[in-house]
Amino acid sequence: MRQLPSWPARAGVGFVRACAVVVVTMPVPVVWAAAVALAIRWGAGNPWSWLPASVLICAGTLALSRPVCRAVRRLVARWTATDIPSGHRQAPPVVRMSTGYWWNGFSYERTRRDALLDQRWRIRWGDPATWRDVRFALLAPVTAGLIAAVPAAGVTLAVLGFVRSAPGPQALGALGLVAALGTAPYAWRPIEPLAVRFLGVPATTALAERVDELTAQRADTTVAQAAEIRRIERDLHDGAQARLVLLGLSLATAEKLMGTDPDRARKLMREARAGAATSLAELRELVRGINPPVLNERGLVDAVRALALDSPLDAAVDADLPHRLDPPIESAVYFGVAELLTNAVKHAGATRVRVRLARVGADLVVGVEDNGRGGAVMPADGGLAGLRRRLAVFDGTLEITSPAGGPTRATMVVPCESL
């Protein structure tokens, strides 16, 4: 049986955490106190002295609210394993239009700098998460901050009391020490429910963001499907269709020459047979680009292994998947691995790569690690961004870790209850 920590140990840990809560939640009141002190120093009877103080209070509150809330989220996640998403809106990519203007998701601007500046301020002031952070930064000091300050105040009272020889101060010091030891294990705990209540994303906001995300994903899927259809049409028109037309002409010519020039007719028929084999190979390659047969017939693990065998890299595949997945998920993960292997060859200059497929809880986790030069980036219009959008359709994620000099590690996580 696991032994519970002793009360002194719990009190010590609680005291440190309570002090951390005080430090994190009190910057805004400190700014307010400094502004009031400056206004009084400049002249309490002068009404204009409060104008710069008010500006300092507003600017300080807005500037500190996001760092304060970010620090609170990290402390809560570290201490209680409760993840509180920030819910801040992500800036869409700034795109230059054919007219020369830049579109930032809200308006058209003449220069990219103006588009980014306008986008930054629109998101900053129009994001509900910004005002949630401000509300929490104002509320936390007078709630969780005051409660967390009790152990520190008790220790301070104990120190001040014990340094004196009078019985009265010493009694107050003993009372402060008892209060500090008794409240230390619990004084930091109100920060968690307070953060969950006031920093969590409301259900209506989360639903609206999800609708926007699905709308964007639907648009991306529609564009991708249209591009894929055009690719198939182009490949058929330029490849197999042209060869089949030539095949028909060769057979018609051979039919006419059968009675007058049999040797030439047989030659044309041999060429037609070779053309038919080439057309069949092209059609197979085209179908393989849509969905490889090994993926349909044998599943994701064997398809990834076949992909690794075809790769010029020294590729190793470790897989532990007990069951087949849904075909759309298998297809998305397969082409994701293909994209990552291609990047390892084309951009990273790698010689070795390792692919891992495993079940972690109810998630499919796929890791691809190469020994390339690293420094991988994810531009908004690149293949990795497209892969992230493809996985987002299934609530999946893609994380890239690529320090300069390597190695590059890519992790795809896809929720999959069928595992």
Side-chain angles (χ1 to χ4, degrees):
M1 180 180 292
R2 183 180 177 183
Q3 185 177 3
L4 294 176
S6 62
W7 183 267
R10 294 175 57 192
V13 172
F15 180 79
V16 173
R17 292 182 177 182
C19 291
V21 171
V22 173
V23 171
V24 167
T25 58
M26 290 300 175
V28 171
V30 170
V31 170
W32 283 45
V36 172
L38 288 175
I40 294 174
R41 182 176 180 181
W42 290 335
N46 183 7
W48 292 103
S49 64
W50 293 98
L51 180 60
S54 301
V55 173
L56 180 60
I57 288 174
C58 294
T61 302
L62 288 174
L64 291 172
S65 59
R66 182 171 292 190
V68 164
C69 295
R70 187 185 302 119
V72 168
R73 291 188 184 95
R74 289 178 180 174
L75 291 180
V76 171
R78 181 181 300 175
W79 294 341
T80 67
T82 302
D83 185 21
I84 305 175
S86 64
H88 288 285
R89 291 178 178 174
Q90 300 298 319
V94 175
V95 182
R96 189 173 188 179
M97 311 303 291
S98 58
T99 58
Y101 284 81
W102 292 83
W103 171 251
N104 61 10
F106 303 95
S107 63
Y108 295 95
E109 302 294 338
R110 291 184 177 274
T111 64
R112 187 174 186 273
R113 177 180 176 276
D114 292 341
L116 289 172
L117 185 62
D118 177 76
Q119 180 191 73
R120 187 179 300 113
W121 282 106
R122 285 178 182 268
I123 292 178
R124 181 77 174 181
W125 294 105
D127 190 356
T130 298
W131 305 110
R132 286 199 301 270
D133 289 350
V134 171
R135 180 183 61 181
F136 181 83
L138 295 174
L139 184 63
V142 297
T143 53
L146 287 180
I147 298 174
V150 172
V155 170
T156 303
L157 184 61
V159 172
L160 295 177
F162 289 148
V163 296
R164 299 189 179 184
S165 58
Q170 288 188 352
L172 289 177
L175 182 62
L177 183 60
V178 171
L181 292 175
T183 60
Y186 311 103
W188 63 273
R189 296 185 181 275
I191 192 65
E192 180 193 3
L194 188 72
V196 172
R197 171 64 179 84
F198 291 99
L199 286 183
V201 181
T204 54
T205 303
L207 180 60
E209 292 176 353
R210 182 60 174 164
V211 170
D212 294 340
E213 181 182 355
L214 291 176
T215 302
Q217 292 172 4
R218 183 182 62 183
D220 290 339
T221 303
T222 302
V223 172
Q225 288 177 344
E228 186 68 12
I229 291 174
R230 288 194 298 270
R231 182 188 70 82
I232 295 172
E233 290 176 346
R234 183 175 62 253
D235 291 347
L236 286 174
H237 182 273
D238 297 340
Q241 178 178 323
R243 291 186 180 276
L244 290 174
V245 170
L246 291 176
L247 176 62
L249 294 175
S250 298
L251 290 176
T253 304
E255 183 180 5
K256 292 179 181 180
L257 295 176
M258 188 66 70
T260 58
D261 193 350
D263 293 336
R264 187 180 176 188
R266 282 193 292 269
K267 180 180 178 181
L268 287 175
M269 293 182 69
R270 286 195 297 269
E271 292 176 354
R273 183 175 61 185
T278 304
S279 299
L280 181 61
E282 289 185 354
L283 287 174
R284 285 175 176 171
E285 288 297 325
L286 180 62
V287 173
R288 185 185 301 272
I290 299 173
N291 239 8
V294 66
L295 180 62
N296 295 328
E297 297 171 3
R298 305 184 62 178
L300 177 63
V301 174
D302 288 338
V304 171
R305 284 176 175 154
L307 197 63
L309 290 175
D310 293 336
S311 174
L313 303 173
D314 179 11
V317 179
D318 297 331
D320 182 19
L321 298 180
H323 306 293
R324 289 286 302 267
L325 308 178
D326 294 335
I329 295 179
E330 287 190 336
S331 178
V333 173
Y334 172 83
F335 285 108
V337 174
E339 175 72 21
L340 295 173
L341 292 180
T342 301
N343 288 347
V345 175
K346 185 176 180 181
H347 302 295
T351 58
R352 297 191 310 275
V353 66
R354 185 173 185 180
V355 183
R356 299 182 182 88
L357 299 94
R359 168 185 175 178
V360 179
D363 296 334
L364 168 64
V365 179
V366 181
V368 179
E369 179 179 343
D370 65 63
N371 66 338
R373 65 177 65 96
V377 295
M378 191 179 296
D381 56 348
L384 293 178
L387 173 57
R388 175 172 285 179
R389 290 193 296 269
R390 181 194 288 257
L391 295 176
V393 175
F394 307 98
D395 287 333
T397 59
L398 170 66
E399 297 296 334
I400 303 291
T401 302
S402 183
T408 297
R409 297 182 181 89
T411 303
M412 296 182 288
V413 180
V414 182
C416 191
E417 295 295 339
S418 62
L419 289 174

